[in-house]
Amino acid sequence: MCGIVGYIGTKNISEILVDGLRELEYRGYDSAGIAVLQDEIFLDFKAVGKIQNLADKIDDTKFKVKENTLSIGIGHTRWATHG
């Protein structure tokens, strides 16, 4: 089971995707990630645990969102099911 959020536009894509994932966090997911395409550069970020771990990982990188540049992205949460 998982939750998915997407965005196409010119606003801060990583912030929008992470905020969307936070809306899904109450369901008890165990990991999350985002993938972003901006200026022909593809980046992906994954983290185990809470959405804050993903947000921290994104903040720790040199990835800086360019405002007013078209970006495409998808975010997902994952809930490991067994059995």
Side-chain angles (χ1 to χ4, degrees), residues 9-10 13 36-43 63-73:
T10 59
I13 191 164
V36 174
L37 178 62
Q38 185 178 67
D39 283 342
E40 299 181 12
I41 298 171
F42 178 79
L43 298 166
F63 172 66
K64 299 298 177 209
V65 175
K66 295 179 184 177
E67 294 293 327
N68 300 318
T69 300
L70 182 64
S71 301
I72 300 169

Side-chain angles (χ1 to χ4, degrees), residues 8 20 25 58 78:
I8 299 173
E25 188 171 29
I58 294 167
R78 180 178 172 274

Side-chain angles (χ1 to χ4, degrees), residues 1-4 21-32 47-51 76-81:
M1 180 178 273
C2 65
I4 299 171
L21 293 175
R22 283 192 172 116
E23 293 291 323
L24 300 172
E25 188 171 29
Y26 73 93
R27 297 181 181 181
Y29 295 108
D30 64 6
S31 61
V48 175
K50 297 195 177 278
I51 303 299
H76 73 92
T77 55
R78 180 178 172 274
W79 180 10
T81 56

Side-chain angles (χ1 to χ4, degrees), residues 15-16 19-22 29 36 42 44 47 52-53 65 82-83:
E15 185 177 295
I16 290 171
D19 287 347
L21 293 175
R22 283 192 172 116
Y29 295 108
V36 174
F42 178 79
D44 66 322
Q52 188 59 48
N53 296 345
V65 175
H82 304 285

